[in-house]
Amino acid sequence: MVVNVGIIGTGAIAKKLAKAINCVDGANLSAVSSRTLDRARHFAEEFNVSLWYEGLNDFLNNTDIDLVYIATPNNFHYQNTIDALNSGKSVLCEKPFALNYIESKKMIEIAEKKNLLLVEAMWTKYFPGIKRVKNILDSGILGDIVTVHGDLSYLLDGKDRLFDRRMGGGALLDLGIYPITVMHHFMGNPENILASSQFTETGVDESTSMIFSYKSGAKALISCSINAKSTNEFSIFCSKGWIRLNDNFTRPTSISYFSQKSGERHEQFLYENLGYEYQIEGVLADFNGNKTESSTVKQSDTLEIMKILDIVRNKVGLSFE
Ligand SMILES: NC(=O)c1ccc[n+]([C@@H]2O[C@H](COP(=O)([O-])OP(=O)(O)OC[C@H]3O[C@@H](n4cnc5c(N)ncnc54)[C@H](OP(=O)(O)O)[C@@H]3O)[C@@H](O)[C@H]2O)c1
């Protein structure tokens, strides 16, 4: 079955996903909505989209759209998702899913009521490299996790939307969410959280460092920033060895690991384009399987991540009001 996908927003990530959607069999990029008709038309021409709209009303009234991909800034995810669900469409919503746990919970409740698929676009979870590391850790050959180091940082221009507090800016929600999600995927929910941030003049976190403690005694040291260059690696040190998602762990192309039993090994995970296709294929499979939640990005995990982000924000004093 061909799934008609409509995109809200024409920015950086919308363009990358449009390219990916056009590469996946069974996906038809059928419509785009922008704040201006001009930008919508340009986007449609560039990515071979047959319908373009100014604003949301007519876009949402198009009953041929099956799935809406939301690619707007963080503060719009909540309302865009609710509007799309209320128009009877399934939704793939960019990360962070919303600004906080309460918004996220309401979005999921509406999707449940409407019996529609609602997925957080946490593309990292769909990569073969991430699945492989999970399998190796679950196999027990590395023993117990003792310490984890994960960082995602980029040196951004002060004009970037991430410096805008009202848009839910800052390092934590856009970047920190990745190492937190990967930690949560491998280790589950932490018991205790310590956090400290450095703030920009605009009132968002320029950098945030966190220590997550687990019942087992394991600790995860997670950091993110918008004013640093980083190796963007994710390392896990265990009682019988170690494993590392090499640059860039959000879309891994290689992993390295060492176990006492088999020594050091390296594995490559090559893919074409940027790898967004994995996410699109996964979401289409769930949509075609009449699922109301993703088999890869569980709604309960999304909610736990949003709760962790709320706790960290509360500890460091990061508010979007
Ligand atoms: N999964 C990933 O790898 C990944 C990577 C980057 C970003 N993201 C996420 O994707 C979302 C969008 O990020 P982005 O980097 O693509 O942002 P962006 O380049 O600024 O694009 C956002 C788009 O949203 C639309 N928009 C609607 N209302 C807006 C407003 N008041 N101000 C600005 N834009 C508005 C705009 O399209 P129109 O002008 O056409 O309306 C704009 O181009 C964020 O939530 C971000 O966290 C995900």
Side-chain angles (χ1 to χ4, degrees):
M1 171 188 165
V2 172
V3 179
N4 290 322
V5 183
I7 294 189
I8 304 178
T10 60
I13 193 64
K15 288 180 177 146
K16 289 177 183 169
L17 260 287
K19 209 174 153 197
I21 291 165
N22 282 338
C23 291
V24 171
D25 282 343
N28 172 38
L29 185 52
S30 63
V32 58
S33 159
S34 166
R35 287 169 300 167
T36 76
L37 195 59
D38 245 15
R39 274 200 295 278
R41 189 188 304 114
H42 275 122
F43 188 95
E45 279 164 9
E46 187 175 351
F47 297 103
N48 198 23
V49 187
S50 46
L51 295 167
W52 55 91
Y53 298 93
E54 178 180 40
L56 278 180
N57 283 349
D58 292 339
F59 172 90
L60 293 176
N61 283 334
N62 176 346
T63 50
D64 288 336
I65 300 172
D66 302 306
L67 176 77
V68 172
Y69 166 58
I70 293 169
T72 51
N74 305 345
N75 57 315
F76 299 110
H77 293 179
Y78 172 70
Q79 198 56 51
N80 289 161
T81 296
I82 286 178
D83 290 346
L85 290 169
N86 280 333
S87 75
K89 298 166 188 23
S90 289
V91 172
L92 171 66
C93 176
E94 260 311 333
K95 43 56 61 176
F97 195 54
L99 289 184
N100 54 49
Y101 174 84
I102 291 175
E103 285 186 355
S104 308
K105 188 101 177 61
K106 283 189 194 153
M107 289 152 71
I108 289 170
E109 279 167 9
I110 293 173
E112 273 166 7
K113 245 187 236 157
K114 297 268 174 189
N115 208 27
L116 290 165
L117 178 67
L118 172 60
V119 189
E120 174 197 6
M122 181 40 80
W123 68 314
T124 297
K125 280 195 170 180
Y126 292 88
F127 278 85
I130 293 287
K131 293 180 181 171
R132 175 73 176 133
V133 171
K134 178 104 173 89
N135 282 342
I136 291 172
L137 289 170
D138 289 350
S139 76
I141 60 160
L142 300 182
D144 298 324
I145 296 177
V146 177
T147 312
V148 164
H149 289 179
D151 179 86
L152 189 67
S153 296
Y154 292 104
L155 196 51
L156 297 184
D157 187 289
K159 292 192 198 89
D160 197 283
R161 68 174 167 77
L162 268 74
F163 285 79
D164 191 331
R165 195 165 57 89
R166 287 157 313 153
M167 284 194 178
L172 179 69
L173 257 65
D174 254 81
L175 305 180
I177 189 171
Y178 284 105
I180 290 173
T181 296
V182 172
M183 169 197 80
H184 181 273
H185 187 51
F186 296 150
M187 303 170 78
N189 226 10
E191 248 198 343
N192 191 42
I193 302 175
L194 296 174
S196 174
S197 296
Q198 196 66 26
F199 281 82
T200 62
E201 280 176 5
T202 58
V204 299
D205 66 310
E206 192 168 54
S207 65
T208 294
S209 299
M210 297 150 274
I211 301 177
F212 296 93
S213 302
Y214 284 80
K215 221 183 206 147
S216 63
K219 303 273 187 283
L221 281 55
I222 302 291
S223 52
C224 54
S225 53
I226 52 176
N227 64 341
K229 284 186 183 290
S230 160
T231 54
N232 294 333
E233 293 171 342
F234 195 100
S235 303
I236 302 162
F237 311 119
C238 305
S239 55
K240 293 183 189 165
W242 55 262
I243 188 160
R244 187 176 63 233
L245 287 149
N246 301 320
D247 177 43
N248 175 317
F249 78 84
T250 66
R251 46 175 170 78
T253 52
S254 76
I255 65 167
S256 304
Y257 58 102
F258 169 85
S259 78
Q260 285 172 349
K261 218 170 167 184
S262 46
E264 189 164 332
R265 293 191 176 184
H266 307 276
E267 290 180 17
Q268 280 201 312
F269 300 89
L270 299 180
Y271 46 83
E272 286 180 13
N273 306 320
L274 291 171
Y276 287 99
E277 291 83 356
Y278 293 123
Q279 173 179 251
I280 301 300
E281 283 162 4
V283 172
L284 288 201
D286 288 327
F287 181 88
N288 286 327
N290 291 320
K291 303 251 172 71
T292 52
E293 84 161 321
S294 159
S295 24
T296 306
V297 184
K298 297 274 179 208
Q299 289 172 347
S300 56
D301 290 341
T302 293
L303 287 175
E304 284 183 4
I305 298 298
M306 292 313 303
K307 205 172 251 175
I308 290 173
L309 293 174
D310 278 5
I311 294 170
V312 173
R313 285 201 303 111
N314 193 29
K315 283 188 186 280
V316 302
L318 173 61
S319 153
F320 302 124
E321 259 117 63

